[in-house]
Amino acid sequence: MLNRNRIVTAAVELIEREGADAVSMRRIAAELGVGVMSLYNHVPSKAALLDAVAEDVLSRIGFTDDPSAHWTERVRIQARAFRRIAHHYPRSTMVVVSRQLSSTAGLLPVERALATLREAGFDGREAVRMLRMFIAYVVGSLLREVGVTPTFAPVRADAIIAEVDPALFPVVSELRPHLDSCDHDEEFEFGLELLVQAMAVRAAARADAQAGRGAGERGGGRAGHGGARQ
Amino acid sequence: MLNRNRIVTAAVELIEREGADAVSMRRIAAELGVGVMSLYNHVPSKAALLDAVAEDVLSRIGFTDDPSAHWTERVRIQARAFRRIAHHYPRSTMVVVSRQLSSTAGLLPVERALATLREAGFDGREAVRMLRMFIAYVVGSLLREVGVTPTFAPVRADAIIAEVDPALFPVVSELRPHLDSCDHDEEFEFGLELLVQAMAVRAAARADAQAGRGAGERGGGRAGHGGARQ
DNA sequence: GCGTGTCACGTACGCTGTACGTACGTCAAT
DNA sequence: ATTGACGTACGTACAGCGTACGTGACACGC
């Protein structure tokens, strides 16, 4: 018996196996051993099917939230959970990312993330902003890692190796070794840590401000801010 | 006379006017008043044409680099230049982002960015990492802004407004006003500022470490770090 | 038995990218 | 002046696409 779930699963498998370009209704139908039009009894259109694929992948994000952990660690864990899924379904991730989906799938991650941020001491407005910034970073990173980089990220290596003119691009030329290689895990963790620390500084600044003016001038967040601005 | 540039330009215009889905070789040919196959005298395939589109858009990034400005401000300016282009060619930006291109177009931005980061005091390895992190954030932000959000970012607003169950998603439900609205400029600047500050803290920490151990324990970046970690 | 629904299917239409053959310039060598 | 090569534009043709539509097989409450 054909049903929506079987179709979506077949689509995900096909995407991972042969890439998003290989996906066609005929191909999926063949994969399932049914006629093409039978699919349309369960899925209104190909676009809707791809939306369902995105939703499906997103819903697979595993949550092992540990409420006893420090909020900074919980943020890291959630970011890594997202990333793990993307690595498990790399090609489908591209579908997720390049598709505007309006469903409530993946709302659970948002709920958890916002709760964590509220716990960290941010008000609603700030929590949402932090979340959006975080998602931007994670999504951007995945886009690079998963192979569909905007540009120049891990760089095509060998292909261009001799093409860069040191006179025109001295810095790029000098840093080529670092540009050519890219340890995705390290890079991700580096940015993650930077972001978490930045958030923590903000949180500390908030706490200071709320704790009253008296001790407000102590070193911590304040000095960090000053150093940053000048 | 037909040539590659006219074709690429027509493609970009068509994408912006009617969306990437509307792009077909026949459509572009019609737009230029030529036969379909004539295009193939100047462009090897549709995929190559889209690569050319990406390259073209990327090369339009305007650079008003001000070497006299503080490096933090230069970072902001470069990020905003990237973003401006994306807003000028929103639909083409999606093409840029969802396409692995290996050309050296857009290498100039990289050169400038790396130079700026070196100037800020980062070594090669760190500069590259900072750049990658930055690109990830900017690209992720643009993906959200340009309309093809991975998920839940500005949220489809009205459509879901009643759908969220406050019992299941208390925090999302509570923060709905903030989730529904999204001032892209503000959000972008918020994340940008956070990142720049985080980078500045890192740079300051580096400077401290290099300046010798004696004054290493002074307030600034150090205290900021401490606060962040605990 | 008989409507009424659901589900798988086949056919058909208009679209796609592009391989291939053709026809018409222009330029170089004869 | 004639010839040949070459580059460019074009038309035709083919395989594949998404999907609208109609048909037939089966299960159900009456």
Side-chain angles (χ1 to χ4, degrees):
Chain A
M1 177 68 165
L2 202 53
N3 63 40
R4 186 184 147 106
N5 245 319
R6 290 223 304 141
I7 295 175
V8 172
T9 303
V12 172
E13 282 174 8
L14 183 57
I15 290 174
E16 292 306 325
R17 186 153 27 88
E18 306 196 21
D21 287 347
V23 174
S24 78
M25 297 305 268
R26 283 171 169 80
R27 196 79 173 63
I28 294 173
E31 211 83 9
L32 291 167
V34 302
V36 193
M37 292 315 289
S38 307
L39 302 177
Y40 287 88
N41 287 323
H42 308 271
V43 163
S45 71
K46 185 186 182 182
L49 172 56
L50 291 181
D51 282 344
V53 166
E55 199 172 321
D56 186 62
V57 170
L58 219 52
S59 73
R60 281 180 152 84
I61 297 181
F63 271 98
T64 55
D65 199 9
D66 176 6
S68 72
H70 188 55
W71 70 266
T72 54
E73 186 55 20
R74 294 174 65 187
V75 166
R76 289 189 198 95
I77 290 173
Q78 292 184 6
R80 291 186 194 122
F82 197 162
R83 182 165 178 262
R84 183 159 19 252
I85 288 299
H87 281 208
H88 206 277
Y89 304 96
R91 302 174 125 160
S92 303
T93 297
M94 290 314 303
V95 174
V96 176
V97 149
S98 63
R99 191 151 276 277
Q100 169 102 299
L101 64 139
S102 57
S103 84
T104 59
L107 206 57
L108 186 83
V110 176
E111 173 71 19
R112 300 295 183 86
L114 287 176
T116 302
L117 291 169
R118 291 303 302 267
E119 183 188 323
F122 297 112
D123 64 25
R125 181 191 180 81
E126 279 174 324
V128 170
R129 283 186 166 173
M130 290 289 181
L131 174 61
R132 286 195 175 130
M133 185 202 60
F134 223 79
I135 291 177
Y137 168 68
V138 172
V139 168
S141 296
L142 294 181
L143 219 54
R144 162 161 47 79
E145 294 187 30
V146 155
V148 182
T149 162
T151 347
F152 41 70
V155 179
R156 262 291 206 253
D158 345 297
I160 328 184
I161 199 160
E163 284 184 36
V164 175
D165 181 352
L168 286 174
F169 305 108
V171 185
V172 168
S173 185
E174 176 201 348
L175 300 183
R176 166 160 297 285
H178 294 110
L179 285 167
D180 283 348
S181 71
C182 183
D183 181 325
H184 292 303
D185 288 341
E186 265 186 44
E187 298 280 336
F188 184 78
E189 289 296 327
F190 173 80
L192 180 58
E193 207 50 40
L194 207 73
L195 249 67
V196 167
Q197 286 180 18
M199 290 167 66
V201 169
R202 264 300 209 276
R206 265 196 67 82
D208 280 5
Q210 241 174 6
R213 309 290 126 185
E217 288 303 326
R218 76 183 182 83
R222 236 47 175 92
H225 263 80
R229 290 201 169 277
Q230 181 40 270
Chain B
M1 176 70 163
L2 201 54
N3 64 39
R4 187 185 146 104
N5 244 320
R6 290 222 304 141
I7 295 175
V8 172
T9 303
V12 172
E13 282 173 7
L14 182 58
I15 290 174
E16 292 307 325
R17 185 151 29 87
E18 307 196 19
D21 287 347
V23 175
S24 79
M25 297 305 266
R26 282 172 171 80
R27 196 77 175 64
I28 293 173
E31 210 84 8
L32 291 166
V34 301
V36 193
M37 292 317 288
S38 308
L39 302 177
Y40 285 89
N41 287 323
H42 309 270
V43 163
S45 70
K46 185 186 182 183
L49 172 56
L50 291 181
D51 282 343
V53 165
E55 198 170 321
D56 186 63
V57 170
L58 219 52
S59 73
R60 280 180 152 86
I61 297 181
F63 270 98
T64 55
D65 199 10
D66 176 6
S68 72
H70 188 55
W71 70 267
T72 53
E73 185 56 21
R74 294 173 65 188
V75 166
R76 290 188 197 95
I77 290 172
Q78 292 184 8
R80 291 184 193 122
F82 197 163
R83 183 167 178 259
R84 184 160 17 253
I85 289 297
H87 280 207
H88 207 277
Y89 304 96
R91 302 174 125 159
S92 304
T93 297
M94 289 314 303
V95 174
V96 176
V97 149
S98 62
R99 191 152 277 276
Q100 169 102 297
L101 65 138
S102 57
S103 85
T104 59
L107 205 58
L108 186 82
V110 176
E111 173 71 19
R112 301 294 182 86
L114 287 176
T116 302
L117 291 170
R118 291 305 301 267
E119 184 186 322
F122 296 110
D123 65 25
R125 182 191 179 81
E126 281 173 323
V128 170
R129 282 186 165 172
M130 289 289 181
L131 174 61
R132 288 198 174 126
M133 185 201 62
F134 223 80
I135 291 176
Y137 169 70
V138 172
V139 169
S141 296
L142 294 181
L143 219 54
R144 163 162 45 80
E145 294 187 30
V146 155
V148 182
T149 164
T151 347
F152 40 68
V155 178
R156 257 303 202 250
D158 344 298
I160 327 184
I161 200 159
E163 284 184 35
V164 176
D165 182 351
L168 286 174
F169 304 108
V171 185
V172 167
S173 185
E174 176 201 348
L175 300 183
R176 165 160 298 284
H178 294 110
L179 285 167
D180 284 348
S181 70
C182 183
D183 181 325
H184 292 303
D185 288 342
E186 264 187 44
E187 298 280 336
F188 184 78
E189 289 295 328
F190 173 80
L192 180 57
E193 208 50 40
L194 207 73
L195 279 175
V196 168
Q197 286 180 18
M199 290 167 65
V201 169
R202 262 306 206 271
R206 265 196 66 82
D208 280 5
Q210 239 172 8
R213 311 287 127 186
E217 289 303 326
R218 75 186 181 80
R222 238 44 175 93
H225 265 79
R229 289 200 169 276
Q230 182 41 271

